[in-house]
């Protein structure tokens, strides 16, 4: 048995991804605003969780959003219509490794929570660079499950996180990809690579983060992959349920959660520069 | 065999702690400035690595620095004299759990990289609160080795980090304490507890951080505990040396390091408030 994609597709997952995007919008989108008239490609828009914030942050830009999954694309379209009525996003159903655009079609690329799912993220970045005009920018955002610090800490809770990491690896992805954005972008031929951590920390003094991030984003991510983890034989029902119970304690009154996303900005070298 | 204190005391360690403090000063001291005339206690000043930045950041404050170790105190005094000539720091040799000051002697407390070494950090925080006037503030800075994200990642390198965590535990400390500053301060009776992560990320685009933090602070920390780790039987010479070799790769051209410090500010509740 294989798992094609560990996030998205279900109603519950769509809600989770939306919650995550809303609560993290300030953190992840800060500094991302494209000039009016610029051509922006969101590669792998999924259910449109980030597209809404992209449109809001860059109201004058021409945004094109692409995803391989037709259902997700429909949800994305509905989400943007509901949140940003009148926004003129161009939607395309297409494979990231076979995008139907001429060379240098875009001034900017935006790629959020996509590379973590790909067998060959460096190749994807290289392919995407073809679509970017020389001097144009790419922005990449990814998490890294290794950054999850739990309090109270517990071996069972960490085993649940580890299950998800192995599940994502079994599907060809890498839930620990954040730490290697720099070498990936450099290897794919981009220049001026700047990577910065965007760290979330939640405790009782930030109840909206405990609810929106710790509970509805972080814990919910693991709760959502129970069936897949069992189907792949990565855990037993008992171990899993005890792990989830332990994990939920980080949302209690004395609990804390630390998690780091990585945001990278890089440039397609201008003509003449070595590619 | 026991290990009393895993940092400090040697010339090399003094240099390492100084390097760490200098390279991280902007990150860790940002937001810490005490008004002229205010009485500030640095509890556990060690070799004065942070004292220098405290004096620089709050030139008009009356700073008192305490450490249990006479040698460290001498080094701290020399360091401050060299870096901040004319600074009037009061130096006291004393145990953190038995400080020779009357109640409410200070307006502010500063405690950096100290709790990680204590058997009972909550009791230390409670004892310290006695010295703080009602309404006065405490600032606490600690790391958390669980936040170390390595690229390239490797089991041997992580085993070295784990060794250091166990070594610190064997000495009665906790190298994973950062994540629990919030419950510790709350449990010790402080109010208005605000904890924020201060995350360091180093890659080839920040050579001064690769040199100052990755190499001379982070890797150097582990290089410095080889003998103790071997003496306690936590590793073998071969495993250790291969682990260190693997760890050093994070300072290579395609390497990255992520590490989070936690900075907490809290208040001794004003008179009448429940303590």
């Amino acid at each position: 048995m294989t798992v094609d994609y560990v996030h998205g597709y279900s109603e519950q997952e769509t809600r989770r991804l939306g919650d995550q995007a809303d609560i993290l919008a300030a953190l992840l989108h800060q500094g991302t605003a494209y000039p009016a008239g610029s051509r922006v490609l969101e590669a792998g828009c999924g259910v449109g969780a980030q597209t809404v914030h992209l449109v809001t942050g860059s109201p004058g830009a021409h945004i094109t959003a692409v995803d391989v999954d037709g259902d997700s694309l429909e949800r994305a379209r509905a989400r943007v219509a509901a949140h940003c009525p009148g926004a003129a996003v161009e939607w395309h159903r297409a494979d990231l490794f076979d995008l139907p655009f001429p060379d240098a079609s875009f001034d900017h690329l935006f790629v959020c929570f996509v590379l973590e799912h790909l067998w060959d993220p460096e190749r994807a970045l290289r392919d995407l660079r073809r679509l970017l005009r020389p001097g144009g920018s790419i922005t990449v955002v990814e998490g890294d499950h290794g950054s999850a610090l739990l309090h109270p800490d517990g071996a069972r809770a960490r085993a649940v996180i580890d299950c998800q990491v192995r599940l994502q690896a079994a599907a060809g992805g890498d839930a620990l990809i954040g730490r290697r954005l720099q070498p990936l972008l450099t290897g794919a031929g981009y220049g001026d690579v700047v990577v910065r951590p965007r760290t979330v920390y939640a405790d009782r003094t930030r109840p909206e983060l405990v609810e929106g991030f710790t509970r509805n984003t972080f814990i919910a991510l693991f709760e959502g992959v129970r069936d897949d983890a069992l189907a792949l034989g990565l855990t037993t029902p008992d171990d899993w349920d005890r792990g989830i119970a332990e994990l939920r304690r980080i949302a209690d009154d004395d609990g804390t959660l630390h998690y780091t996303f990585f945001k990278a900005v890089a440039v397609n070298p201008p003509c003449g520069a070595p590619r």
Side-chain angles (χ1 to χ4, degrees), chain A:
Chain A
M1 161 166 188
T2 61
V3 180
D4 285 336
Y5 179 65
V6 295
H7 311 321
Y9 299 163
S10 78
E11 276 299 338
Q12 197 188 345
E13 259 303 283
T14 301
R15 200 163 48 243
R16 191 190 71 80
L17 293 167
D19 278 354
Q20 167 177 289
D22 294 345
I23 202 86
L24 297 178
L27 185 80
L28 301 183
H29 285 264
Q30 196 195 24
T32 299
Y34 300 112
S38 60
R39 304 158 301 164
V40 178
L41 173 68
E42 186 187 7
C45 66
V47 296
Q50 307 299 331
T51 321
V52 167
H53 298 287
L54 216 48
V55 168
T56 310
S58 303
H62 296 304
I63 293 174
T64 302
V66 166
D67 203 86
V68 70
D69 181 66
D71 270 5
S72 293
L73 215 52
E74 274 318 301
R75 285 173 202 236
R77 192 194 295 264
R79 186 176 187 88
V80 168
H83 287 73
C84 318
V89 174
E90 249 186 70
W91 305 94
H92 287 267
R93 182 176 172 185
D95 191 315
L96 214 63
F97 290 101
D98 185 24
L99 289 172
F101 305 108
D103 287 8
S105 299
F106 298 97
D107 301 301
H108 304 287
L109 307 179
F110 185 82
V111 187
C112 184
F113 304 141
V114 173
L115 301 183
E116 60 167 328
H117 300 295
L118 304 181
W119 277 101
D120 192 344
E122 188 170 314
R123 191 189 131 202
L125 289 172
R126 207 176 300 116
D127 286 4
L128 282 169
R129 194 160 65 79
R130 180 186 66 77
L131 306 182
L132 195 54
R133 71 159 164 80
S137 81
I138 184 170
T139 297
V140 180
V141 179
E142 294 290 346
D144 190 316
H145 283 7
S147 70
L149 301 185
L150 317 177
H151 180 75
D153 199 7
R156 289 195 181 95
R158 273 184 278 120
V160 160
I161 296 174
D162 188 51
C163 254
Q164 209 276 341
V165 172
R166 286 186 289 152
L167 201 58
Q168 197 148 337
D174 180 5
L176 311 176
I177 200 171
R179 69 189 76 178
R180 60 191 185 100
L181 289 187
Q182 212 282 337
L184 281 172
L185 283 157
T186 302
Y190 293 86
D192 296 335
V193 182
V194 175
V195 178
R196 291 292 178 271
R198 302 265 170 129
T199 304
V200 188
Y201 166 78
D203 66 28
R204 60 187 283 191
T205 66
R206 307 171 108 178
E208 75 295 346
L209 266 184
V210 172
E211 189 60 20
F213 185 70
T214 304
R215 212 172 259 124
N216 296 340
T217 301
F218 186 76
I219 296 173
L221 165 69
F222 301 101
E223 287 171 334
V225 300
R226 183 180 192 274
D227 293 349
D228 292 334
L230 290 173
L232 276 192
L234 299 178
T235 184
T236 65
D238 195 46
D239 282 349
W240 182 264
D241 294 342
R242 294 204 291 182
I244 290 286
E246 200 171 84
L247 188 58
R248 284 188 184 134
R249 292 204 49 214
I250 64 173
D252 286 353
D253 209 38
D254 65 343
T256 71
L257 171 63
H258 162 285
Y259 190 94
T260 296
F261 298 93
F262 289 83
K263 183 168 186 174
V265 179
V267 172
N268 187 19
C271 298
R275 298 174 66 143

